[in-house]
Amino acid sequence: MAKFTMSDGTNGMLRGQANPSDAFQRADPSMPRRNYATDTEHERTVVGRPQKTHADSTGFTSQCAGLATDSTIEKAITDKLTQTMQQGIKDGYNARMAEEGENHEVTAAEIDEKEDKANCDDDELELLRARRKEQMKAAMEKKQKNQQLGHGTYDEIAEEDFLKTVTSSDLAVVHFYHKMFEKCKIMDMHLSRCSKKFFGTRFVRLDAEKAPFFVDKLRIKTLPCAVFFKDGVAVGRQVGFEGLDGDEFRTQDLAWRIKESGGIEEDFDPEDEIVW
């Protein structure tokens, strides 16, 4: 294979550039000899494009080279801007998804709707699919954890289990009851139904007579009293049947009051009849 050698400036388009002190004189003896001692700073600046190599040159070759260079640079800039804009769109979408993130559940219907659109963005569609997969995995892990904690059942706990119960689950409802009060039995019936319907919340009952410490700390005076907890903090309570339609209130009415306080995560319409 032939080795490359550096041009000496005597041949080709760039002839005359190797020794700029006498190149123009060789091309046209009538041209004055350059005096470097009197060069200005501007004259000492390196010229980026090929120069005329003889007096009769039109500079056409240099102009073509310049135009080609300009076109290449312009295309490179355009490509970079396009790439930057596309990345910006993707980053903006990711940021919006992250912001909506935890509160937005990606559904199969939403993905199907995107797929049916003629101008569907493949990157956005892939992000939706990935997010749905992550959400489904997280939901399954949370469901398994809740099952181990007793979600889906309505159990009685002892006073020593109170703190562990309300701090282990994200959401919990504790019914402080008295075994001789009929209204406490009605409350038990509705909370038992809620435990089967709203799996994200742990529902339990605690004999108020056997839990004097927490009855005092929570200032419970009237029974039945159901206290709603979120991350171990009391966020609301249902005292007696206050705000409900007497002894014949509907289970969904009680569930809605719990949800309004943040004790239920599932969505439902309080006006719809709920099948238990």
Side-chain angles (χ1 to χ4, degrees):
M1 180 181 295
K3 294 183 178 180
F4 293 105
T5 58
M6 187 172 66
S7 171
D8 59 6
T10 61
N11 296 292
M13 181 177 69
L14 302 180
R15 65 184 180 277
Q17 301 303 300
N19 187 6
S21 63
D22 59 3
F24 294 106
Q25 285 73 28
R26 289 201 304 271
D28 186 351
S30 65
M31 296 180 69
R33 186 176 183 82
R34 181 176 178 184
N35 184 356
Y36 282 85
T38 60
D39 275 357
T40 66
E41 183 178 352
H42 176 72
E43 288 173 324
R44 293 192 187 100
T45 303
V46 177
V47 180
R49 293 179 181 174
Q51 305 298 305
K52 295 172 63 173
T53 58
H54 55 85
D56 296 330
S57 172
T58 63
F60 177 76
T61 302
S62 298
Q63 293 176 15
C64 289
L67 290 174
T69 302
D70 290 345
S71 177
T72 301
I73 293 175
E74 183 178 352
K75 184 177 184 305
I77 293 174
T78 301
D79 291 345
K80 184 62 177 177
L81 286 174
T82 300
Q83 180 183 355
T84 303
M85 289 176 63
Q86 290 175 342
Q87 186 62 44
I89 292 172
K90 183 181 293 186
D91 291 345
Y93 177 78
N94 288 338
R96 178 165 57 84
M97 290 297 290
E99 184 177 352
E100 296 177 357
E102 302 303 324
N103 298 323
H104 173 67
E105 181 180 356
V106 179
T107 64
E110 183 177 353
I111 294 177
D112 291 341
E113 183 181 355
K114 288 284 185 183
E115 290 176 332
D116 292 339
K117 288 185 176 180
N119 58 345
C120 174
D121 187 296
D122 291 339
D123 290 338
E124 183 177 349
L125 189 57
E126 284 304 312
L127 286 171
L128 283 175
R129 287 172 176 160
R131 182 153 193 82
R132 174 161 172 75
K133 185 176 180 180
E134 291 175 1
Q135 289 177 340
M136 291 177 67
K137 180 181 178 181
M140 180 60 68
E141 291 175 350
K142 183 177 180 179
K143 183 176 181 180
Q144 292 174 346
K145 174 189 173 183
N146 286 342
Q147 282 179 327
Q148 295 174 352
L149 292 173
H151 289 234
T153 62
Y154 183 58
D155 302 317
E156 176 144 2
I157 62 171
E159 184 175 43
E160 54 267 28
D161 298 324
F162 174 83
L163 286 177
K164 180 181 178 181
T165 300
V166 300
T167 57
S168 297
S169 297
D170 295 337
L171 301 173
V173 173
V174 181
H175 173 209
F176 289 85
Y177 77 97
H178 192 289
K179 60 184 178 181
M180 300 301 293
F181 292 2
E182 287 300 318
K183 288 191 175 183
C184 289
K185 295 178 182 178
I186 296 174
M187 184 66 72
D188 279 337
M189 177 188 69
H190 291 292
L191 291 178
S192 178
R193 291 175 177 176
C194 287
S195 69
K196 296 176 177 61
K197 181 67 176 179
F198 304 110
F199 196 76
T201 304
R202 176 76 166 115
F203 291 87
V204 297
R205 63 201 297 258
L206 176 59
D207 190 335
E209 288 187 314
K210 298 179 180 180
F213 179 79
F214 290 109
V215 166
D216 180 61
K217 288 297 181 182
L218 294 171
R219 299 179 181 178
I220 296 173
K221 304 293 184 181
T222 303
L223 302 179
C225 181
V227 184
F228 321 141
F229 294 89
K230 184 173 184 178
D231 298 325
V233 178
V235 293
R237 64 179 62 195
Q238 176 63 49
V239 179
F241 296 163
E242 179 183 346
L244 300 171
D245 191 15
D247 293 359
E248 302 297 326
F249 67 87
R250 304 179 308 166
T251 302
Q252 53 263 45
D253 294 334
L254 173 61
W256 187 252
R257 287 180 65 83
I258 299 174
K259 182 173 179 59
E260 284 185 315
S261 295
I264 288 177
E265 64 181 6
E266 291 88 350
D267 291 325
F268 66 97
D269 190 333
E271 298 305 319
D272 292 340
E273 189 67 29
I274 298 178
V275 179
W276 305 95

